[in-house]
Amino acid sequence: MRGFISLTAHPAGCEHNVLKQIEYVKSKGKFKGPERVLVIGASTGFGLASRITSALANDAATIGVFFEKEPQPEKTASPGWYNTAAFTKIALNEGLYVKNINGDAFSDEIKQKTIDLIKTDLGQVDMVIYSLASPVRTNPRTGITYRSVLKPIGQAYSNKTVDFHNGNISEVTIEPALQEEIENTVAVMGGEDWELWIDAMKAAGVLAEGVVTVAYSYIGPAVTEPIYRKGTIGQAKDHLEKTADDLTARLTDISGKAYVSVNKALVTQASSAIPIIPLYITILFKVMKSKGIHEGCIEQIQRLYADKLFNTGEVPVDEKGRIRIDDWEMRDDVQTEVAEVWEKANTESIHHLGDLSGYASEFRKLFGFGFKNIDYNRDVNEMTGIENLV
Ligand code: NAI
């Protein structure tokens, strides 16, 4: 482990992780949803869960776009590579259509490659999931590279944070972002690239009548507000949410609809890198588990599809038009307890007040480690390839 990343990933562990998600969606039964689905950011986190739910709970053909490192003789691949290898193998065995594109989704080249593939193989898609999380984006039109920052706006913010590897709680102060940093973060994580994707696909005629496109957002409680929703990333999420309205307007002629779904805070590679958030998640997990309402990415996305997007009635949205699957996280009883625990949390108490071991274990599992039924002493083929990589 180096900071927020593991330098290695385990192919069999990643496969197990995918299998468990597949078992979960299968246990919940099938539903009727879109049959041809493009997932942008399909290899880890919410995007992977979206692909698994589309394919295994609804028999959809899926095209996955992601940016992962392939294995080298001296170095394992990144976890999303092994996740995709496992997903592809299983989905193909089930007779499903699966194609994969590994490359920079922000580029024109990858957009065109995806459009060409859709034209050749599927004709059109009925759903586009946009689930990218990246610290950097090069705008294909200008060639300018932007880097996002995770900072408060206006004034410095100090609060507690945890090193989830050892439970040490310390005070951090994060200096406010410069105006340019705010703009750069919006350029990376806002809705501009989502818009470029949808515009390019619509112009190419590969969006089906009634297409649905969904991007993921986050809100969170007061304690994370200065660093998240009212910070630089929050500005990007505001932009993403506004983009949904713009896209819906532009899709009217094909009866299409763009949604933002506000998801729950979860352990993913993206969220582990945000200061303060890991302590919040550690406490949140403990509270939600004690109430029997804890969910991971797959439980969240299965619920999004089955209860919100593709139930038979209207899609339920909040006053800003957003789908809320953070509804259980944001429940008053949950947030009141989290706030109480937050006040008491320190290096001594966090081991019993928070779910530190749950956080650390979830984090290791992202890379395929820590599964009891995987024998980590056995040799595995780290050169595992991805089938149907275009
Ligand atoms: P993640 O880090 O697990 O997944 C990111 C995905 O994007 C991966 O498939 C990766 O390969 C792909 N990707 C990154 N850069 C790329 C590029 N240049 N080209 C092609 N693919 C690229 O992230 P996570 O957490 O699943 O986040 C997805 C979305 O969900 C983000 O918008 C995030 O803000 C949002 N979200 C995350 C929450 C969390 O707690 N993790 C909570 C609510 C929303």
Side-chain angles (χ1 to χ4, degrees), residues 301-320:
I301 299 299
Q302 194 279 335
R303 191 157 68 88
L304 169 68
Y305 278 48
D307 291 4
K308 311 273 182 187
L309 279 172
F310 307 115
N311 66 6
T312 44
E314 283 264 295
V315 175
V317 291
D318 70 7
E319 72 292 350
K320 290 188 172 165

Side-chain angles (χ1 to χ4, degrees), residues 3-4 75 85 109 130 136 155 157 176 197 216 224 244 272 294 304 308 341 390:
F4 309 115
K75 209 165 184 298
E109 182 204 340
Y130 187 84
V136 53
Q155 56 193 28
Y157 182 55
W197 269 98
Y216 298 135
T224 61
S272 301
H294 174 71
L304 169 68
K308 311 273 182 187
V341 175
V390 179

Side-chain angles (χ1 to χ4, degrees), residues 41 43-46 67-68 103-105 131-133 217 237 264 266 268:
S43 53
T44 55
F46 284 113
F67 207 11
E68 298 294 341
D104 182 7
S131 186
L132 294 182
S217 187
K237 291 302 185 194
K264 177 196 180 197
L266 280 174
T268 65

Side-chain angles (χ1 to χ4, degrees), residues 40-48 65-68 80 101-107 110 130-137 189 215-219 228 233 237 240 261-272 277 281 297 300 329 366:
I40 304 161
S43 53
T44 55
F46 284 113
L48 173 65
V65 178
F66 46 84
F67 207 11
E68 298 294 341
I101 294 178
N102 189 27
D104 182 7
F106 297 131
S107 69
I110 290 297
Y130 187 84
S131 186
L132 294 182
S134 172
V136 53
R137 167 175 173 241
M189 288 296 287
Y216 298 135
S217 187
Y218 181 67
I219 297 178
Y228 199 97
I233 182 75
K237 291 302 185 194
L240 185 81
S261 168
V262 182
N263 299 356
K264 177 196 180 197
L266 280 174
V267 181
T268 65
Q269 291 181 73
S271 67
S272 301
I277 297 280
I281 294 182
C297 286
Q300 279 261 291
E329 167 182 358
L366 295 177

Side-chain angles (χ1 to χ4, degrees), residues 123-144:
Q124 292 184 318
V125 288
D126 314 290
M127 174 148 139
V128 181
I129 296 287
Y130 187 84
S131 186
L132 294 182
S134 172
V136 53
R137 167 175 173 241
T138 300
N139 183 321
R141 301 291 134 83
T142 60
I144 298 173

